[in-house]
Amino acid sequence: MFQKSKNQAGQAVLIVLLSLSVVLIIVLYIMSRSITDISLSSKEEDSMRAFSAAEAGIERALIIGSDIGDTPIGDANFSADVSEFGQGDDTVIYPMSLKSGEIATFWFNRPSDPVFDGSQAKICWGTAATEPPAVEVSTYYLESGVYKISRVSLDPNAGRTATNNFTVATTGACTIDNETFQFYSTVSLPTVGTLQFMTVKPLYNTTVSHKIGIDVSNIVNGGSLLPSQGVKINSDGSFAGANRSIEVYQLHPVAPSIFMNSVFSSTGIVK
């Protein structure tokens, strides 16, 4: 009888120890999850503050238009670097992907920069295998005080060119700054007057956005490097152990696209 009670007491102690072990494991798991959640929340908050500081650097650089060293904003810091985008380059990729009807502008003539006077430019576009876009390339130039336009439409889809009468573009790899495009065409530029700028408008790609680039590295009959296309601002924000970076482009202003489709005379609009 005494032996049986002793065995029961031992079993009770074992059950209690096992129960305490399970409770301890649960408590440790909850504590671990809580510590992890707190750490993640803290890191997320630090990251958001660093991102806000980087945004403040962008806004500040846009106002003053120059580089900004490490500047405190509360407990966070930001620094911004402002540089000319495309100035002195022979290749430029438009910083935004475009859908049908949107316009990319590439400048040939800007104040304080040498005027580009090449006779050719290679236009590259298309980064997706589906929905290949055509492009409308318009070159604006100034001749004897009159602004004129030279225009060509290019389409890599030979089936469409039978009905739209576009020039057939080349299908093949075109690489600019380590980015590969699917289609390209070399466009002849006006050789009279002074080149001003070029617009490239994709067509037919209503759902997929495409990048567009220009390459003047193999120009014919002289030429020069491209002038500034705008400014590029890189801003770095930091808070605690978090660092965030933002890149923003401020391109030169252009006339609304509706003006590109209007014809004017000295007496008004010619209908």
Side-chain angles (χ1 to χ4, degrees), residues 50-191:
F51 185 79
S52 296
E55 285 185 319
I58 292 291
E59 293 176 0
R60 184 64 176 166
L62 288 172
I63 293 173
I64 67 175
S66 62
D67 293 351
I68 303 172
D70 288 333
T71 303
I73 175 172
D75 295 329
N77 290 276
F78 66 80
S79 62
D81 176 65
V82 181
S83 60
E84 293 292 335
F85 170 53
Q87 185 179 46
D89 295 337
D90 54 16
T91 58
V92 170
I93 297 177
Y94 196 72
M96 291 169 285
S97 297
L98 305 177
K99 289 185 179 180
S100 180
E102 298 176 330
I103 294 176
T105 301
F106 299 99
W107 291 91
F108 295 132
N109 182 12
R110 293 297 303 175
S112 76
D113 280 348
V115 177
F116 175 85
D117 60 356
S119 61
Q120 291 182 333
K122 185 178 181 181
I123 309 301
C124 304
W125 72 95
T127 55
T130 58
E131 202 178 21
V135 292
E136 179 187 87
V137 181
S138 303
T139 305
Y140 294 76
Y141 61 103
L142 180 63
E143 182 183 4
S144 302
V146 178
Y147 286 94
K148 299 183 179 181
I149 303 174
S150 173
R151 181 171 290 152
V152 61
S153 297
L154 309 164
D155 195 341
N157 188 328
R160 286 197 303 239
T161 59
T163 56
N164 61 21
N165 294 319
F166 288 7
T167 300
V168 179
T170 302
T171 299
C174 171
T175 302
I176 298 177
D177 296 338
N178 298 321
E179 183 159 352
T180 300
F181 300 85
Q182 286 189 320
F183 316 110
Y184 67 91
S185 189
T186 300
V187 177
S188 296
L189 303 176
T191 55

Side-chain angles (χ1 to χ4, degrees), residues 1-11:
M1 186 67 179
F2 176 77
Q3 183 67 30
K4 182 177 180 180
S5 299
K6 186 175 181 181
N7 290 338
Q8 290 176 342
Q11 291 175 357

Side-chain angles (χ1 to χ4, degrees), residues 174-246:
C174 171
T175 302
I176 298 177
D177 296 338
N178 298 321
E179 183 159 352
T180 300
F181 300 85
Q182 286 189 320
F183 316 110
Y184 67 91
S185 189
T186 300
V187 177
S188 296
L189 303 176
T191 55
V192 295
T194 304
L195 294 172
Q196 299 298 307
F197 61 92
M198 170 188 288
T199 62
V200 183
K201 178 169 65 175
L203 303 170
Y204 300 117
N205 59 317
T206 56
T207 59
V208 180
S209 299
H210 292 268
K211 283 289 189 70
I212 296 173
I214 183 173
D215 183 352
V216 296
S217 59
N218 294 314
I219 56 177
V220 179
N221 299 330
S224 57
L225 299 176
L226 294 169
S228 169
Q229 308 294 309
V231 296
K232 180 173 69 172
I233 304 174
N234 291 287
S235 179
D236 299 318
S238 62
F239 178 81
N243 297 280
R244 297 294 296 273
S245 297
I246 302 176

